[in-house]
Amino acid sequence: DANTRPDALICTNTSGLNIDEIAGVLKDPSRCMGTHFFSPANVMQLLENVRTAKATDRVIATCMAFGKILGKKAVLVGNCDGFVGNRMLAPYASQAATLLEEGATVEQIDRVAQDFGMAMGPMTLGDLVGQELFWKQRKAAGDAKKQTKTYMGPYELNDWLCERNRFGLKTPDKSIGAKGRGIY
């Protein structure tokens, strides 16, 4: 509050924190919203604009227009665990891991997802976003087997990769000429 104009919007990109709690510490909570850019933001088109309990119509309209200006597909969602995107992503990633455990190859899983119409397969997405994202959150929560609407196992492959610092594209391995070490 002390560093912003009273009419400035306070927006957060979080997908793991309760935005109403963030708004609750402001003098004027009506100017707070979530603007969750689906990761990786430079590739993905989804912008989840998260309505807080006290957001005004002006704040909501401004956030929706902001998404349009940026060329994103802005959707208005409620404030809940994981919002919409991560609630959809969790079962998708869970089933991809299960298919791998049952014998499908990484390439088969990604190819089928793309053939279905997804921009990329779930394995490629994991390497692009970072394999460690939810792994670190599960560790911080002290629950390595966490199962919620936004956390769904199996986790064995993800844990194995992360324990070896294979986080995806952000961890290149020049010794083998790899742009990134993750599942690929």
Side-chain angles (χ1 to χ4, degrees):
D1 278 338
N3 297 309
T4 62
R5 294 180 357 195
D7 62 339
L9 302 188
I10 307 290
C11 299
T12 175
N13 186 46
T14 186
S15 66
L17 300 175
N18 183 326
I19 300 172
D20 281 310
E21 289 178 8
I22 295 169
V25 302
L26 299 173
K27 289 177 190 168
D28 178 10
S30 72
R31 64 188 184 124
C32 183
M33 284 259 304
T35 49
H36 179 235
F37 291 83
F38 211 63
S39 185
N42 64 319
V43 175
M44 305 303 273
Q45 291 298 305
L46 180 62
L47 169 59
E48 295 176 302
N49 283 320
V50 185
R51 176 196 311 254
T52 55
K54 296 185 178 178
T56 65
D57 290 344
R58 180 187 70 82
V59 169
I60 294 167
T62 301
C63 288
M64 296 302 286
F66 175 64
K68 190 173 186 177
I69 289 168
L70 295 177
K72 298 293 183 182
K73 293 179 180 167
V75 296
L76 184 62
V77 300
N79 184 20
C80 61
D81 187 26
F83 315 131
V84 174
N86 285 335
R87 283 186 176 210
M88 292 187 309
L89 185 61
Y92 176 61
S94 173
Q95 288 303 307
T98 300
L99 287 168
L100 190 66
E101 287 183 355
E102 292 175 352
T105 67
V106 170
E107 295 81 8
Q108 286 172 325
I109 294 166
D110 273 358
R111 186 180 64 248
V112 167
Q114 287 184 285
D115 289 349
F116 183 72
M118 304 301 271
M120 67 186 77
M123 304 305 186
T124 298
L125 179 63
D127 273 359
L128 193 56
V129 170
Q131 297 291 343
E132 81 286 3
L133 183 65
F134 290 101
W135 175 72
K136 284 183 176 179
Q137 290 175 0
R138 286 187 289 117
K139 284 180 63 173
D143 186 358
K145 300 298 179 193
K146 188 174 184 173
Q147 297 287 329
T148 68
K149 292 176 181 172
T150 58
Y151 292 88
M152 297 179 182
Y155 296 125
E156 289 76 12
L157 174 61
N158 181 259
D159 292 351
W160 184 89
L161 290 169
C162 292
E163 288 161 3
R164 287 156 183 77
N165 295 318
R166 293 180 61 164
F167 302 138
L169 291 178
K170 60 182 87 170
T171 51
D173 187 341
K174 293 179 183 168
S175 69
I176 61 167
K179 292 181 181 174
R181 293 297 306 253
I183 201 156
Y184 279 101

